[in-house]
Amino acid sequence: NIDSGFITSFKDLDSILQGIQKSDLIIVAGRPSMGKTAFSLNIGNNIVKKYKIPLVIFSLEMSRQQVIYRFLANNTKINASRLKSGKMTLSEWEKLSESMKDISELPIFIDDDPNLTINDMRSRLRKILNNDAKEAVVIIDYLQLMKSTLKLDNRVQEISYITRNLKILAKEFKI
């Protein structure tokens, strides 16, 4: 029985984390093409559907359209290349139409500015969370592309600075 955090619908993960907690910074790491983005979007999708809280996606790598394709492919179980080509069966078109309607009704915000800084994220979160939302889930894809406003000696220090400030952001907004 998990009642302290947002349930991701990944049973083992929920058991370990007791759900996603407010103010947590969770980093999903792995080699290229291992499904980090798909996994993160899946968690975000599950939470926004269950709790109807805002899901904010800062996508530094993919365009807004690519993120939407990922959501649609995940929700319909239709291959993304078939979605993009439009070569689908009638039942797939019906599933797609229903999924588009469902997604459009959810509080999902996608920001695909590739040059985002922590301060940019802070101001965008302020705007989103000012509108009655008291809590949200934020996905940043992906951390390595973020730029620091400080000039540091090396990339390791820069990533440390960025992650520390993301944790501060998570605590500040209870996201």
Side-chain angles (χ1 to χ4, degrees):
N1 182 24
I2 299 169
D3 55 17
S4 61
F6 298 116
I7 295 173
T8 67
S9 298
F10 288 89
K11 286 185 168 79
D12 290 342
L13 182 63
D14 288 330
S15 176
I16 292 166
L17 298 177
Q18 295 298 294
I20 301 288
Q21 308 297 316
K22 293 177 190 171
S23 300
D24 269 359
L25 173 64
I26 298 170
I27 297 179
V28 178
R31 295 172 55 89
S33 300
M34 296 299 290
K36 297 176 297 291
T37 299
F39 175 67
S40 300
L41 291 177
N42 204 328
I43 286 175
N45 191 24
N46 293 346
I47 291 173
V48 74
K49 280 182 178 176
K50 183 172 180 66
Y51 299 98
K52 306 293 189 260
I53 63 169
L55 170 61
V56 183
I57 302 165
F58 293 110
S59 179
L60 287 80
E61 184 179 35
M62 292 189 296
S63 70
R64 169 183 275 117
Q65 186 175 14
Q66 289 172 304
V67 173
I68 291 168
Y69 272 121
R70 289 278 189 107
F71 266 106
L72 291 171
N74 184 44
N75 285 342
T76 61
K77 306 298 183 235
I78 299 170
N79 182 297
S81 61
R82 286 171 57 86
L83 277 176
K84 288 177 191 172
S85 72
K87 295 179 181 170
M88 297 181 290
T89 66
L90 182 58
S91 69
E92 287 174 331
W93 278 107
E94 289 168 356
K95 274 204 284 198
L96 177 63
S97 176
E98 187 65 30
S99 181
M100 289 171 75
K101 180 182 172 292
D102 292 345
I103 289 172
S104 72
E105 293 170 357
L106 294 172
I108 299 173
F109 303 87
I110 302 169
D111 189 321
D112 60 358
D113 181 345
N115 298 310
L116 278 178
T117 65
I118 303 273
N119 287 334
D120 294 334
M121 288 181 185
R122 180 175 280 112
S123 72
R124 288 174 180 144
L125 285 169
R126 241 184 226 116
K127 286 178 190 166
I128 292 167
L129 296 178
N130 260 353
N131 303 334
D132 302 325
K134 301 284 185 264
E135 49 198 8
V137 171
V138 176
I139 295 172
I140 301 168
D141 187 34
Y142 73 97
L143 185 68
Q144 292 286 79
L145 293 178
M146 284 191 72
K147 291 179 177 62
S148 165
T149 50
L150 289 183
K151 284 288 171 222
L152 297 167
D153 292 340
N154 61 48
R155 190 63 180 149
V156 173
Q157 287 179 337
E158 198 172 7
I159 294 296
S160 293
Y161 172 82
I162 290 168
T163 54
R164 181 177 182 281
N165 281 280
L166 287 174
K167 177 60 180 176
I168 290 168
L169 199 66
K171 286 183 81 170
E172 178 183 336
F173 288 99
K174 296 180 180 67
I175 52 176

